């Protein structure tokens, strides 16, 4: 899980501006926005899948390839000021066990 350190909270249109910026970033990176949920991005490359789910300023990155996770975090840190929070344990009130 990653959390952005700088946000646009003071603007009325902050959420829309942030959403537009993150969608542009992921689409340029070859991800597709899922038709079911506009905050879920999927990228399939060479049989490997990477999934990014974001909610406000939190991002969850999962993949069947550890290198894809590392590369996604690296690309995000180049374009956005952020910090890594490590593996997530709770999300939307659900306890998550990553084994």
């Amino acid at each position: 899980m990653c959390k952005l350190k700088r946000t646009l909270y003071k603007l009325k249109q902050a959420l829309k501006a942030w959403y537009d910026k993150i969608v542009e970033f992921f689409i340029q990176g070859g991800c597709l926005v899922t038709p079911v949920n506009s905050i879920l991005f999927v990228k399939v490359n060479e049989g490997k899948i990477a999934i990014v789910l974001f909610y406000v300023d939190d991002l969850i990155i999962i993949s069947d390839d550890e290198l894809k996770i590392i590369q996604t975090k690296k690309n995000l840190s180049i374009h956005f000021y952020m910090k890594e929070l490590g593996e997530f344990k709770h999300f939307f009130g659900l306890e998550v066990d990553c084994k």
Side-chain angles (χ1 to χ4, degrees), residues 69-85:
I69 294 172
I70 293 167
Q71 186 63 43
T72 302
K73 289 191 289 190
K74 183 178 177 184
N75 289 341
L76 281 164
S77 66
I78 290 170
H79 290 86
F80 305 103
Y81 185 64
M82 59 179 240
K83 68 177 180 178
E84 187 174 342
L85 299 175

Side-chain angles (χ1 to χ4, degrees), residues 13-64:
Q13 67 278 19
L15 290 177
K16 174 74 169 117
W18 168 234
Y19 176 78
D20 291 344
K21 190 153 208 62
I22 200 79
V23 167
E24 179 184 353
F25 171 80
F26 283 119
I27 289 176
Q28 286 178 353
C31 292
L32 299 173
V33 180
T34 60
V36 175
N37 197 329
S38 61
I39 62 170
L40 184 64
F41 299 90
V42 178
K43 182 175 182 177
V44 179
N45 191 6
E46 299 175 4
K48 302 290 184 177
I49 187 168
I51 299 171
V52 179
L53 175 68
F54 85 96
Y55 181 73
V56 186
D57 59 355
D58 295 324
L59 296 159
I60 296 174
I61 305 165
I62 59 173
S63 178
D64 56 355

